[in-house]
Amino acid sequence: MLRRVLAAVSFAGAVMALPGAAQQAASEPVADQAPSPSVPRLVLERYVGRYELNGTTVTVALTDDDRVTVQLAGQPVSLPLRTVSENEFAGDAAGVRLIFEGEGPKATRIRSRYAGNEVVGTRLSDTAVAPRSVIYSPRLTTIPDTPAGRQFAGWLKAFNSDDPDAFDAYMRQEFPTLSAPPGANRNIRNLVGGFESLGVESASESQIVVLLRERNWEDSYARLTLDVAPEPGGKITGARLQGVPPPPDATPTQRMSETQALAAIKAKLDAASAAGQFTGAVRVAHNGDTVFDYASGQADREHGVANTLDTLFRIGSMNKMITAVSILQLVEAGKINLDAPIATYLPDYSNKDLASRVTVRHLLTHTGGTGDFFGPEFNQHRLELCEHSDYLKLFGARDVLFTPGERFAYSNYGFLLLGGIIEAVTGQSYYDYVQEHVYAPAGMRSTASLPEAVEVPGRSVGYTAQIPGSNGVLQPNTDTLPCRGTSAGGGYSTVGDLIRFSEALRTGKLISPQLFEEATKAQMAMGPGAGYGFGFAANDVNGTPAFGHSGGAPGMSADLTVFPELGYEVAVAANMDSQLVPRLAAYLGARLPVPHNGS
């Protein structure tokens, strides 16, 4: 759980704070802001590269239309940034500001600001492979009576206050140089439930470093660093809040009986639903048998339609699992070679160099350097891109962003290419192929990707606060949606169908056990306990393996996580911006019983 969540938020400078965070991330964009200042491409190229931020690798890239994007290791989104100035960029949907600094041919530092907090990262060398491990220092239990100590005491009191506006007011007064988007600080507070101080790791007149534990999610820890002007009454000059793994002296998460674990997750869901932080459905199965169902909120607020277990939820990037399974079926049939360049199957592809260098394996593991397609060009043609061929025609001339196979960089366009390959090899549309070869044999009768213009009975309305100008108020996400879902994501399903997909994989109905094992183990390591296989995330949760995928965009969030050694499958879907979704399965999986416990 922890690794996936930390990676999703650390560049924002606030623990678990990005809308639709974690491994679910926006797979569809919100509308652009006003025109940005023009910056020469040569200047923008100074910022391209990898940076270490809070122990996480952040990759900064540049699109063909000179749009700067940022992506965290292991996360299914490349966030497009709006140019604010020559070296400052904004991720408006997430409320993040990034500033690049340093002299010379390449920027050497990246500064991230979010919700009154600031993080500074440094550029990694071209040969660097992984962020450093977190090092813990001995802790003092007493807060020092220094300018920094007093500011921390005020910060913690305001953050933990029952007054939802207290923390905003405190930061405006004590850290006036930073601002936050509407509701951002309140969303963080609602999610984490406040912090408990576990002790001071270091302190001086002008700085304090404190280890914190979340109240709502007791497995989750953070490190707060406050920089303060050293004079009496000095204001905060810098704030860095980073997620960290449990410290060595943390009490290990204890496994429970099934009844206890399900009661614990129900309590989380009840509290979140009552607070308006979750509207959706959940199903948990054990060896294929349903052991827990949950639904809350409304599928259509305007018409008063409630969410049920049969509600159709948009699932974002979870379609990548479907695409990967389809490719592996064709590998088994001898029609696709994982290590063949994509030119083998797309001989007329526009960029001949890319097609000759990028292989099917590269696309499945996000190592092809094929980038994203979301951005201004997509927004301009959003409703015209209705078939996979439309995307390949519009984006097919682009070059790779790095040498194929060099590193992991989550690529929506790479999985769009896989959809094109499926169509070329089979002679069927992608949609017809997956219906015949995945959905039908798995018994997934409610899963598809019909166009948004088609009235689909039971398909929920998504609600988002990520639309510019919404001021934190949830609105229908209709104007952010594509023409229809693709092989990269954007389809819809039910929590029951997601469990059926997992069961079809487990019982060998879709691919062989050998390929299933390859697909769901880490082909690419992305940090302690986190990796990516062939279209599946592969993680470790409290000492047990887990695989699956999440998906999200404005107004939607979904996740399927399978714990094969435990025999449990967890499907979660929401029709709103929800930071809870990627946490729920891991929280539950860390507590469910292992088979030899006799449960």
Side-chain angles (χ1 to χ4, degrees):
M1 168 185 178
L2 191 65
R3 174 65 186 174
R4 293 188 295 171
V5 173
L6 298 185
V9 298
S10 56
F11 80 85
V15 175
M16 299 165 241
L18 291 183
Q23 27 130 16
Q24 93 173 53
S27 60
E28 291 152 19
V30 295
D32 285 339
Q33 294 277 345
S36 302
S38 177
V39 179
R41 187 175 180 89
L42 285 175
V43 173
L44 298 177
E45 287 175 345
R46 292 188 63 242
Y47 311 139
V48 173
R50 295 185 300 155
Y51 300 80
E52 182 187 358
L53 206 57
N54 287 348
T56 297
T57 300
V58 176
T59 300
V60 176
L62 191 61
T63 65
D64 287 346
D65 57 357
D66 294 345
R67 182 78 167 248
V68 175
T69 65
V70 64
Q71 182 176 9
L72 284 88
Q75 294 307 301
V77 64
S78 179
L79 179 70
L81 303 178
R82 176 174 57 85
T83 303
V84 177
S85 68
E86 185 171 284
N87 71 324
E88 183 173 350
F89 303 84
D92 293 303
V96 181
R97 288 293 179 100
L98 297 177
I99 300 99
F100 295 91
E101 301 173 338
E103 303 297 329
K106 295 286 186 181
T108 56
R109 294 183 303 280
I110 184 172
R111 187 180 299 273
S112 169
R113 293 174 177 171
Y114 177 86
N117 298 291
E118 183 172 275
V119 180
V120 178
T122 56
R123 177 183 287 273
L124 292 168
S125 70
D126 292 338
T127 57
V129 293
R132 63 175 179 268
S133 300
V134 175
I135 298 174
Y136 294 93
S137 303
R139 302 191 298 274
L140 303 174
T141 57
T142 303
I143 300 172
D145 186 19
T146 62
R150 290 189 288 273
Q151 279 288 13
F152 167 67
W155 185 98
L156 187 64
K157 181 180 179 181
F159 191 90
N160 289 345
S161 172
D162 291 333
D163 179 358
D165 298 319
F167 188 60
D168 273 325
Y170 184 85
M171 295 303 283
R172 283 196 301 269
Q173 178 178 325
E174 300 300 327
F175 199 176
T177 59
L178 290 184
S179 61
N185 290 325
R186 184 178 302 183
N187 290 342
I188 300 171
R189 171 63 176 79
N190 289 342
L191 182 69
V192 306
F195 285 114
E196 296 176 18
S197 173
L198 299 184
V200 178
E201 292 190 292
S202 68
S204 66
E205 290 290 310
S206 59
Q207 186 183 82
I208 188 168
V209 180
V210 187
L211 187 65
L212 306 170
R213 180 173 58 207
E214 290 187 34
R215 288 178 174 173
N216 280 355
W217 304 87
E218 55 270 30
D219 301 342
S220 299
Y221 296 79
R223 175 178 284 155
L224 173 69
T225 303
L226 289 181
D227 295 315
V228 177
E231 66 269 11
K235 301 294 186 182
I236 298 173
T237 60
R240 298 175 294 283
L241 185 59
Q242 68 182 93
V244 294
D249 59 342
T251 302
T253 300
Q254 297 298 308
R255 295 200 174 272
M256 306 173 176
S257 70
E258 180 185 282
T259 300
Q260 291 171 324
L262 294 176
I265 204 65
K266 183 179 185 301
K268 297 291 185 187
L269 287 163
D270 285 343
S273 297
Q277 298 171 4
F278 180 80
T279 63
V282 181
R283 172 162 288 179
V284 181
H286 185 226
N287 294 328
D289 297 324
T290 299
V291 296
F292 179 81
D293 278 334
Y294 190 94
S296 71
Q298 293 186 313
D300 186 333
R301 300 183 182 200
E302 180 182 358
H303 296 98
V305 179
N307 280 323
T308 71
L309 295 168
D310 295 321
T311 297
L312 306 177
F313 296 94
R314 294 173 183 83
I315 59 173
S317 286
M318 293 178 72
N319 286 100
K320 290 182 173 67
M321 295 184 291
I322 308 298
T323 300
V325 167
S326 300
I327 289 288
L328 294 175
Q329 288 176 340
L330 296 170
V331 169
E332 284 191 309
K335 297 180 179 180
I336 288 180
N337 182 333
L338 285 177
D339 296 308
I342 67 172
T344 307
Y345 313 106
L346 300 174
D348 297 326
Y349 189 73
S350 297
N351 190 315
K352 302 299 184 184
D353 179 65
L354 181 153
S356 68
R357 299 166 63 198
V358 175
T359 68
V360 175
R361 186 186 300 272
H362 288 149
L363 298 181
L364 283 171
T365 57
H366 297 286
T367 57
T370 45
D372 210 337
F373 51 79
F374 292 123
E377 196 169 13
F378 171 85
N379 292 345
Q380 182 180 352
H381 300 281
R382 176 172 62 91
L383 299 181
E384 304 164 19
L385 298 168
C386 298
E387 301 293 338
H388 290 75
S389 58
D390 298 331
Y391 286 86
L392 270 59
K393 181 179 179 181
L394 182 61
F395 297 103
R398 303 189 311 176
D399 290 327
V400 293
L401 299 176
F402 52 81
T403 302
E406 179 181 83
R407 63 178 184 266
F408 178 98
Y410 194 93
S411 174
N412 280 309
Y413 186 63
F415 267 74
L416 206 294
L417 285 169
L418 289 173
I421 289 172
I422 291 169
E423 294 186 336
V425 168
T426 65
Q428 295 179 274
S429 75
Y430 171 81
Y431 308 104
D432 288 344
Y433 181 88
V434 297
Q435 173 60 40
E436 180 180 344
H437 295 275
V438 180
Y439 300 153
M444 300 168 68
R445 297 182 178 88
S446 301
T447 304
S449 296
L450 288 176
E452 290 293 339
V454 174
E455 187 71 24
V456 178
R459 185 161 60 181
S460 59
V461 177
Y463 296 93
T464 180
Q466 297 185 48
I467 297 173
S470 65
N471 293 319
V473 178
L474 290 174
Q475 301 178 7
N477 66 348
T478 309
D479 291 339
T480 73
L481 298 173
C483 173
R484 71 186 303 184
T486 68
S487 54
Y492 53 86
S493 188
T494 65
V495 290
D497 267 9
L498 294 174
I499 296 295
R500 292 181 188 98
F501 173 65
S502 173
E503 278 298 292
L505 285 171
R506 182 177 71 88
T507 56
K509 291 181 179 179
L510 300 179
I511 54 176
S512 69
Q514 293 77 17
L515 274 181
F516 173 51
E517 181 181 356
E518 287 297 307
T520 56
K521 75 177 185 181
Q523 303 290 331
M524 296 295 298
M526 298 184 300
Y532 200 90
F534 294 148
F536 291 81
N539 300 301
D540 176 273
V541 177
N542 196 19
T544 190
F547 69 83
H549 214 290
S550 62
M556 67 186 82
S557 182
D559 179 79
L560 173 67
T561 301
V562 180
F563 303 93
E565 292 184 359
L566 305 182
Y568 287 93
E569 304 150 310
V570 185
V572 187
N575 61 320
M576 64 175 294
D577 302 332
S578 178
Q579 301 173 39
L580 292 172
V581 168
R583 291 172 167 239
L584 291 168
Y587 182 88
L588 179 59
R591 288 161 174 76
L592 285 166
V594 296
H596 61 260
N597 281 355
S599 300

